[in-house]
Structures are given as C-alpha cells and as structure tokens.
Amino acid sequence: MKFQKIAIVGAGPAGLIAADVLSAAGIDVDVFEAKPSVGRKFLTAGKGGLNITHSEPMDDFIRRYDHSEWLKPMIEAFDPNAIRVWMESLGVDSFIGTSGRVFPTEMKAAPLLRRWLSSLKKRGVRVHCRHYWKGFSDEGDLRFATAEGEKNVAFDATILALGGGSWASLGSDGAWVSVLAEKKVKINPLLPSNCGFKATWSAFIQPHLGKPLKNISGWVGNHKDHISSSEAVLTTYGIEGGLVYALSRPLREEIITQGSATLYLDLLPHIHENTLIPRLTSSGKQSRDNLWRKAGLEGVKSALIRETLPKEKWDDPIAVARYVKSYPILLTAMQPIDEAISTSGGVMREAMDEDLMLHALPNVFCAGEMLDWDAPTGGYLLTASFASGVFAANGVLKKVRASRTD
C-alpha cells in the first residue's frame, strides 16, 4: 500500500504541528476542521499572553504529567527548546518570564498562528473548515458533515487531533469518544482538569468574591509532599485559579472516591507558625484588625479566618496561627467539564502502538488532548499537544517510507 494522501482531523496545535511535519517532508496533507476557522482554542488561550511552554529542567518538567513515562519520549523528541526554535523559524521570537514560563515576544497567539498558516499554505497543505467529523463509513472512509451534506473521503492514513472535552464551543466537544468506543478503542472517561471546584461561603466571604488570594500555598488532605504555590480566587460557586488547577488531579480523585475533598491553604507560607504566634499576640494597645493586618492577614485572608474559626477564638494567637498555616476548605464537586481549561482521560496507551497508531484501526493515529494524559497549566498542556502531534506525524512518516521500499 502506497501512503500518498494523509488526512488530519482537527486544526488545533496537535493537528497543525502534525501537518507541519508531514508537509515539510513533502507529504500531501489535508486538514479538516469542524469550526469556520482554525486554532480557536489556541487563540483563546493566548488572549492574556500565550504561555506556550516552560523552561524548567527536563526532569522537573516531565514530572508535571500524569502518565509521564508514556509522554517522556514524545516530549524529549520535541522539547521546550525545540518549540522555541520552531517559533523562530516562523519569525516569532520568544522570551522566558520571571516564573520560567515561555511566551512569544508579542505575547499573543494570533501573530504566531498567522505566520504558521502562511507557512503551511506555501507547502501546499489544504485546510477544509466547516467539516465536522462523524466517524468512518463501512468502507473505512472518513465521514464529514458539511454545509452541502455528508461527505465521505478516502485517505491512506489519518491523524485524529480532536482535542479533549472542554470548551465545546471552540471545537473540543468530546464527541469522538463514542465513535472510537464503538470501534473497540480503549478510552478512559474524559473528566474536568485545570478547573474550579465547588465550595459554600458564608456572609463573611461575599464581599471578597472575585478578589485574588495571593502568596499562598496549598495541598490536598494529608499529601503535604505535593504542595502548590500560586494564586487562587474565591468565586460564587467556590474557588479557582492557578493553585487549584495545579492540584486538580488529586482533588478530582478524592472527590470521585470520597464524595468530597479538603483543600488546605497556608495563607502565609513565608512565615513559620512559631514566628507568627508572637505577631498575633496582643499587648493590649492594638486592635485585632490592626494586629492581623501587620501579620499579613487582611482582606480576603482575614475574612477566611472569620469564616471558619469560632469567634471566641479570634483573639487566641495559637488558634489563629494554626488556621493560617493549615486552612481547610471543603470542596464538594468539580465545575462542569465544558468550563474546565482541559480534560483528563482519553485514548489509553494500550489502545495504541509505539507510534500512536490505534490497534483497532490500522493507519489511524491520535494526538494531542485526545490521549490519556493530564497536566497543569503553565505551558505543559501545549507542549504535550505539540510533542504528541510531532510524534504521530513521525509515525505516519515511518509508514510512508516503509511503503516506498516495498
């Protein structure tokens, strides 16, 4: 069998980078996208600054991922530095921020995407928008719903890069799960990740909703070996933000198994409890509010203490310090999957060969957030999407080269 026509379904980062690799090798590529334009989630993620990858040491980087041993060879083959080199090849410079995160110099995703699409067009890549993938025909052709009706198209190999199940309005609706499940592809259920969690607040908190909790750290239950240090925001439904997103995996697992989870916050992580107690001890000349403010407890942090600690304990420096250093928040549920930044779950490792081709569907590969992995925000999601797209494309190239020698 000669591999001459390659289809990529899904025009997000994984799909477009796969098209990049294949077209650079002179392969005939068609990209199909359900939406009227490509890269919609990519553009939305980059509105506040496109955090495309991270510069931390590779061992630390890999540990950020669930199923990291599976992703490791993919990321090592197209690592953060390779992403920066690729951006530079498109005329887009990048820089490392103070947190180690990597951004394009222009910050936004749109300039990068424009240059990327221009490069792909010059190589002959054809992009077909408003083509919603419906599965396979009885003959194995790709089925698409279009404005002109259903269209069946035959290809020699296909890379599916359809995303997870979050932000359905931008294209990742997770409908592919049932299609592949019918073909006996093993899939772990899609679940919200990098999401907010539900909690109940009293009147003390209401005036502080929407205000950031800065310079805090947090952990789940007794797992103080996995501490997140970032920011969070209290919302009408509960809590969200970078600190919570980084802990979404253990929080989600505890809610699923136990029905609820306890998130613990250290409201003043840079002050030891034994140092804090004297700062909270009144000499009789300062008001409680002034004493707390000088110790670092004001605004939303002060409200949280009043929220949970009995009023008769507010002037007890030992009790207050204990709550400051280990503040419990009971979380009862995750936000809906469509409101999550990303999803966990997806096509399982055992459903694929070492090149990301499905065992149940020869010459059909998967990449991106369709795969069963999970990661926090901070450039890790995009990096794994890029890396798996490159890896799947290289898997197709192996097939192409093998067919030419037959």
Side-chain angles (χ1 to χ4, degrees), residues 93-383:
D93 292 330
S94 61
F95 71 95
I96 300 173
T98 55
S99 64
R101 299 183 181 199
V102 177
F103 299 86
T105 302
E106 295 181 73
M107 292 299 290
K108 304 297 184 182
L112 172 59
L113 184 60
R114 282 195 298 268
R115 288 173 178 266
W116 194 3
L117 292 175
S118 176
S119 173
L120 293 175
K121 185 177 181 180
K122 289 176 182 177
R123 294 207 202 116
V125 174
R126 294 173 293 275
V127 179
H128 311 271
C129 292
R130 294 187 171 91
H131 279 63
Y132 186 89
W133 186 65
K134 302 285 288 183
F136 302 94
S137 69
D138 292 340
E139 294 76 28
D141 297 343
L142 299 175
R143 294 172 52 221
F144 293 100
T146 74
E148 294 76 35
E150 185 166 305
K151 181 190 297 184
N152 291 2
V153 190
F155 286 90
D156 299 320
T158 299
I159 297 176
L160 299 178
L162 291 158
S166 63
W167 296 12
S169 63
L170 302 179
S172 300
D173 62 6
W176 56 266
V177 171
S178 59
V179 175
L180 294 187
E182 287 180 3
K183 299 293 185 179
K184 308 303 181 185
V185 176
K186 293 181 179 179
I187 300 169
N188 266 332
L190 298 181
L191 295 170
S193 185
N194 293 297
C195 61
F197 289 81
K198 297 183 185 298
T200 303
W201 305 119
S202 73
F204 283 118
I205 298 298
Q206 296 304 315
H208 301 278
L209 296 179
K211 297 177 182 177
L213 261 172
K214 297 185 176 182
N215 300 317
I216 59 172
S217 61
W219 62 95
V220 181
N222 296 320
H223 305 295
K224 289 199 72 172
D225 55 328
H226 183 191
I227 293 179
S228 170
S229 297
S230 186
E231 296 184 5
V233 177
L234 306 186
T235 69
T236 53
Y237 68 78
I239 187 169
E240 64 182 27
L243 179 140
V244 181
Y245 301 157
L247 295 171
S248 61
R249 191 188 313 160
L251 287 170
R252 179 180 64 241
E253 290 171 354
E254 193 157 317
I255 287 173
I256 290 172
T257 57
Q258 305 295 328
S260 64
T262 300
L263 169 67
Y264 288 94
L265 299 181
D266 185 341
L267 301 177
L268 298 172
H270 304 300
I271 304 175
H272 192 276
E273 186 172 340
N274 291 337
T275 303
L276 182 59
I277 291 171
R279 296 186 186 184
L280 295 170
T281 302
S282 175
S283 62
K285 297 179 181 179
Q286 297 187 73
S287 67
R288 179 195 307 121
D289 288 349
N290 194 41
L291 196 70
W292 284 18
R293 180 181 59 78
K294 288 184 177 181
L297 295 175
E298 56 183 333
V300 63
K301 291 184 179 182
S302 173
L304 281 172
I305 298 300
R306 289 179 166 88
E307 165 87 358
T308 306
L309 189 65
K311 188 173 183 178
E312 60 271 18
K313 296 284 188 179
W314 290 358
D315 293 315
D316 181 342
I318 296 176
V320 173
R322 186 177 298 122
Y323 259 69
V324 168
K325 301 300 290 181
S326 186
Y327 185 87
I329 301 176
L330 182 66
L331 305 178
T332 56
M334 301 166 279
Q335 279 294 89
I337 194 168
D338 198 42
E339 296 179 28
I341 292 174
S342 62
T343 50
S344 68
V347 178
M348 299 170 67
R349 182 178 185 177
E350 51 262 45
M352 318 177 83
D353 70 9
E354 66 277 6
D355 295 317
L356 301 183
M357 187 180 77
L358 295 171
H359 293 305
L361 295 167
N363 303 323
V364 177
F365 298 72
C366 293
E369 215 177 315
M370 288 183 71
L371 306 184
D372 183 18
W373 56 269
D374 193 11
T377 56
Y380 307 101
L381 296 168
L382 278 173
T383 299

